[in-house]
Amino acid sequence: MYIIAGLGNPSKEYERTRHNVGFDALDVLADKVGTTIEEKKFKGLYGRGIIGGEKVLLLKPQTFMNLSGESIRAAADFYKVEPDHIIVIYDDISLDVGQLRIRKKGSAGGHNGIKNIIAHLGTQEFPRIKVGVGDKPKKMDLADYVLSRFSKEDRALMEDAFKEAARAVEVMITDGADAAMNRFNGHKA
């Protein structure tokens, strides 16, 4: 079994912001899998499906970004899922808008949601899909930037990136992270 966690912040106020690209990509994946993410448990919303013959739990933590690890740990403990079967999708300001980067493990790189997941799982060894949201303008506060929305042009690029992120999850499950890295790393919408 796999847990696919898309990171974001709950409530309408944060919908379609840069910080919520994990939620947006998970919605695209849920559509592909033929499920909805509406059940409540694990301090989050979730849906279930099958990808490549494997059971998957699509999870949107509702703890706010900086406490995402609480939700992921609760689901992992319940289903006895090891970290190498937890795929996390989240925003990355060091990548161009719509660019993907897949990693099998790594540090938080300054991302507080990932930092909290590492703290709760006790390891950095879980696969992740970073979705580029572009670098913040020089004089803008980071929190304000990641909680802002995309321009119309950039949003169109992001819609393509969400589809590619969903495909990347499928490849990670069916063919492995290395195959997904070869296919999707550097992809720009």
Side-chain angles (χ1 to χ4, degrees):
M1 179 176 192
Y2 285 82
I3 295 172
I4 317 301
L7 303 190
N9 285 312
S11 84
K12 290 252 186 250
E13 173 185 357
Y14 299 106
E15 283 180 3
R16 300 172 65 87
T17 62
R18 286 176 168 79
H19 229 15
N20 275 36
V21 299
F23 281 9
D24 292 337
L26 211 59
D27 288 338
V28 171
L29 183 59
D31 285 345
K32 285 186 83 161
V33 173
T35 190
T36 58
I37 303 171
E38 297 173 343
E39 295 183 65
K40 293 180 181 177
K41 195 172 184 174
F42 316 118
K43 297 184 180 182
L45 297 173
Y46 73 95
R48 294 187 199 119
I50 304 282
I51 296 175
E54 295 278 352
K55 292 179 185 174
V56 294
L57 183 85
L58 307 181
L59 179 66
K60 290 182 182 180
Q62 299 294 291
T63 53
F64 287 91
M65 179 66 78
N66 295 353
L67 299 175
S68 297
E70 293 177 10
S71 175
I72 292 170
R73 181 62 195 242
D77 286 350
F78 185 84
Y79 287 106
K80 297 179 178 31
V81 175
E82 293 298 319
D84 65 341
H85 277 80
I86 299 170
I87 300 171
V88 181
I89 307 170
Y90 64 99
D91 60 298
D92 190 320
I93 62 165
S94 67
L95 299 173
D96 290 339
V97 171
Q99 186 177 0
L100 299 183
R101 182 168 295 146
I102 297 165
R103 293 285 182 255
K104 291 193 273 190
K105 61 183 180 180
S107 71
H111 194 288
N112 290 329
I114 298 298
K115 198 178 295 181
N116 189 260
I117 293 167
I118 290 169
H120 278 83
L121 294 180
T123 183
Q124 297 181 2
E125 308 225 355
F126 55 88
R128 69 251 353 232
I129 301 172
K130 302 175 183 189
V131 182
V133 296
D135 197 6
K136 74 172 184 69
K138 293 271 184 262
K139 296 188 180 193
M140 190 172 192
D141 178 69
L142 179 60
D144 290 339
Y145 180 70
V146 296
L147 297 178
S148 68
R149 289 178 172 76
F150 295 97
S151 68
K152 187 176 180 181
E153 296 79 17
D154 284 352
R155 187 68 197 186
L157 292 174
M158 293 307 296
E159 295 296 334
D160 288 339
F162 301 148
K163 291 174 189 164
E164 288 298 292
R167 285 189 198 103
V169 168
E170 293 173 323
V171 171
M172 290 172 85
I173 291 172
T174 59
D175 301 328
D178 287 331
M181 288 165 67
N182 289 335
R183 182 167 166 194
F184 296 96
N185 276 0
H187 168 83
K188 286 180 89 165

